[in-house]
Amino acid sequence: MDFQLSEEQSLLIDGFRKFLQRDAKPLAERYRDQLIPVEEMQRVQRAMADFGVGAGVIEEQFGGMGVDAVTAGLLQFELSRISPDIAVTSLIQNIVGKLMRYMPEPLRERYLEDVLAVNRFGCVGMSEPDAGSQVTAVRCRAVEDGNDYVINGEKLWISNGGYSDFMFLLARFNDDPVGGLGLILVERKDGYETSDIEKMGLNSQSTAQVSLQDVRVPMTNLMVPPGDAMKTLFVSLAGSRPLVSLMALGVAQAALDESVSYAQDRTQFGKPIAGHQLISAKIGEMATKIEAGKLLALKALSQVDRGERSDLSAAMSKWFGTQVACEVVGEALQIHGGNGITKEYPVEYMYRAVRPFMVTEGTNEIQKLSIGRALTGIDAFG
Ligand SMILES: Cc1cc2nc3c(=O)[nH]c(=O)nc-3n(C[C@H](O)[C@H](O)[C@H](O)COP(=O)(O)OP(=O)(O)OC[C@H]3O[C@@H](n4cnc5c(N)ncnc54)[C@H](O)[C@@H]3O)c2cc1C
């Protein structure tokens, strides 16, 4: 296994870091805890697409840059050090970009240019009020009517929902619990409505409730027919879970960076607190946890690049990376003492921003159950 970045990756990341400091950081600071307006989010995502972030993963055959999964992961990590909020929007662009290969060609033709140019945002609607970890409980229903489907239902926690022009919707086409689920494209102009959810963190990007009432879409919008949707989504999640892990670890890295300089500057008992063994040991543990989490995520992404099955590594990296990231940011708060819980210091925001990553893209409990099932062959979900 090669742990060395290629020269190309190093140059790309150096350039991206400079861009982030110059462009993304001021935007993130200006909109801390407030929704970044869609035009501003488009502008920054457009600029980042040139580095291969988000829609940059779209395959070359469709006009994209075809950025490999490891490089996409390294970029997401760097972005999340500066703004986990902007990184969530990029992640969804990445997932949408990958799923575009399942769009019927005429639909893809219609959307590709705008997605590549970041003129339009998509989102992925799986979760519902009564279908979270148990995705197969989806109730949102698509009923045939002439050449159309008429869709009714509610989706919840949809990242990019408020920004979106279209949604890849997981809907129920018949009563078969798994076989009845299909993936269909719904456009905002078809009539879905969104309202943003206020959260503990990550409020600079949209997480929305989506309502579909008698939304009529042509049958030709079907992307993955009933029966194959769950398989398609699981392949997609195996690629995106390590990215979520790297995003949480990006926040942890930023918190570690803050902690190192704080521990060097803050003096108590006649010396910098970094000179007290308990603080020094914390810094050592924090750095090691981040490194271990990153290696696990990059291993999973390198399996994606080699076309190997990666669901087990993806589940391991998602729970481990997000868990240790939350621990690291908690320790960063502790190192900052009273200052850590004030709005004046960035670790307070990081503490609120990193926590949702233990829930999104399948909770950490669900990841552990998936690993257990893979190893024992026995399902402990029910
Ligand atoms: C910031 C954010 C962004 C999101 N973005 C999207 C998105 O873009 N699209 C989308 O479709 N969804 C999205 N989600 C939804 C996310 O995938 C769900 O929140 C997640 O799958 C958990 O579902 P739930 O919230 O309903 O919790 P529940 O499933 O109700 O779980 C509640 C608790 O019970 C535990 N639990 C559940 N079942 C079991 C079991 N069998 N054994 C042990 N423990 C169990 C869970 O681990 C959790 O701790 C997002 C969520 C968040 C927080």
Side-chain angles (χ1 to χ4, degrees):
M1 198 184 280
D2 188 0
F3 294 103
Q4 205 60 31
L5 296 191
S6 69
E7 201 185 331
E8 205 182 337
Q9 282 170 325
S10 297
L11 283 172
L12 178 71
I13 287 163
D14 278 353
F16 189 48
R17 281 184 183 154
K18 287 186 190 121
F19 163 82
L20 289 172
Q21 288 295 335
R22 197 186 58 233
D23 276 46
K25 196 172 179 187
L27 181 70
E29 285 174 352
R30 185 148 37 102
Y31 285 100
R32 174 129 314 156
D33 285 319
Q34 291 171 55
L35 187 71
I36 298 176
V38 65
E39 300 78 20
E40 297 253 31
M41 186 61 97
Q42 278 175 343
R43 186 187 58 73
V44 71
Q45 296 288 340
R46 207 171 282 139
M48 292 192 303
D50 291 343
F51 291 92
V53 174
V57 297
I58 294 179
E59 291 92 334
E60 284 170 337
Q61 55 168 321
F62 300 131
M65 288 166 76
V67 171
D68 60 273
V70 166
T71 305
L74 295 168
L75 291 167
Q76 282 295 110
F77 175 82
E78 293 300 330
L79 172 55
S80 205
R81 287 173 79 172
I82 301 298
S83 171
D85 301 67
I86 298 175
V88 171
T89 294
S90 304
L91 172 79
I92 303 303
Q93 290 288 96
N94 173 308
I95 298 171
V96 165
K98 286 277 185 195
L99 285 173
M100 285 191 87
R101 80 175 75 139
Y102 299 102
M103 278 170 123
E105 206 178 329
L107 281 178
R108 200 167 50 231
E109 284 295 304
R110 182 138 58 89
Y111 274 100
L112 200 52
E113 207 175 308
D114 275 340
V115 172
L116 284 167
V118 200
N119 294 327
R120 288 172 185 249
F121 283 132
C123 65
V124 182
M126 296 188 284
S127 307
E128 297 183 1
D130 293 320
S133 301
Q134 190 188 353
V135 183
T136 52
V138 157
R139 286 193 194 154
C140 182
R141 191 132 204 144
V143 176
E144 275 186 43
D145 185 27
N147 291 326
D148 298 333
Y149 288 110
V150 176
I151 304 176
N152 280 286
E154 290 286 326
K155 292 286 166 183
L156 196 57
W157 312 118
I158 308 307
S159 303
N160 272 12
Y163 290 145
S164 67
D165 296 290
F166 63 92
M167 174 167 47
F168 293 161
L169 177 84
L170 186 67
R172 178 162 298 291
F173 291 77
N174 64 57
D175 289 331
D176 184 322
V178 178
L181 295 172
L183 204 59
I184 189 161
L185 180 112
V186 184
E187 298 179 77
R188 188 179 283 267
K189 69 172 178 53
D190 297 328
Y192 69 77
E193 287 178 2
T194 60
S195 64
D196 284 328
I197 301 166
E198 202 176 325
K199 309 171 295 292
M200 66 188 289
L202 301 178
N203 284 307
S204 306
Q205 55 81 46
S206 161
T207 311
Q209 176 144 14
V210 182
S211 167
L212 300 106
Q213 283 180 10
D214 290 329
V215 173
R216 184 173 283 275
V217 299
M219 279 183 167
T220 47
N221 278 25
L222 190 65
M223 288 171 61
V224 182
D228 294 336
M230 291 310 291
K231 209 170 97 201
T232 306
L233 289 173
F234 282 134
V235 172
S236 158
L237 287 170
S240 59
R241 282 176 173 157
L243 298 180
V244 173
S245 172
L246 286 166
M247 286 157 64
L249 291 163
V251 182
Q253 182 67 53
L256 173 62
D257 296 343
E258 293 293 329
S259 301
V260 167
S261 60
Y262 191 85
Q264 288 166 336
D265 290 347
R266 172 73 177 164
T267 298
Q268 285 293 280
F269 296 96
K271 56 180 174 182
I273 58 170
H276 296 300
Q277 288 184 351
L278 289 177
I279 298 293
S280 185
K282 271 192 208 306
I283 302 264
E285 284 175 10
M286 290 156 78
T288 308
K289 284 177 176 176
I290 294 170
E291 195 67 11
K294 274 182 85 176
L295 289 174
L296 203 44
L298 294 174
K299 179 191 168 185
L301 292 172
S302 71
Q303 287 176 323
V304 172
D305 283 333
R306 289 195 301 273
E308 292 170 12
R309 199 172 158 170
S310 62
D311 50 340
L312 189 58
S313 312
M316 288 178 176
S317 87
K318 200 276 165 175
W319 92 253
F320 184 78
T322 58
Q323 168 78 39
V324 297
C326 288
E327 290 168 8
V328 167
V329 181
E331 290 291 49
L333 215 72
Q334 196 66 15
I335 287 173
H336 281 72
N339 282 332
I341 60 162
T342 67
K343 302 266 177 201
E344 254 179 76
Y345 285 79
V347 286
E348 179 272 345
Y349 181 71
M350 295 169 186
Y351 190 74
R352 290 185 288 114
V354 75
R355 187 61 181 79
F357 291 119
M358 280 177 64
V359 175
T360 187
E361 293 253 354
T363 65
N364 285 6
E365 290 78 10
I366 294 301
Q367 307 306 328
K368 290 178 195 175
L369 290 175
S370 304
I371 299 163
R373 182 176 57 190
L375 295 180
T376 64
I378 297 172
D379 189 324
F381 282 82

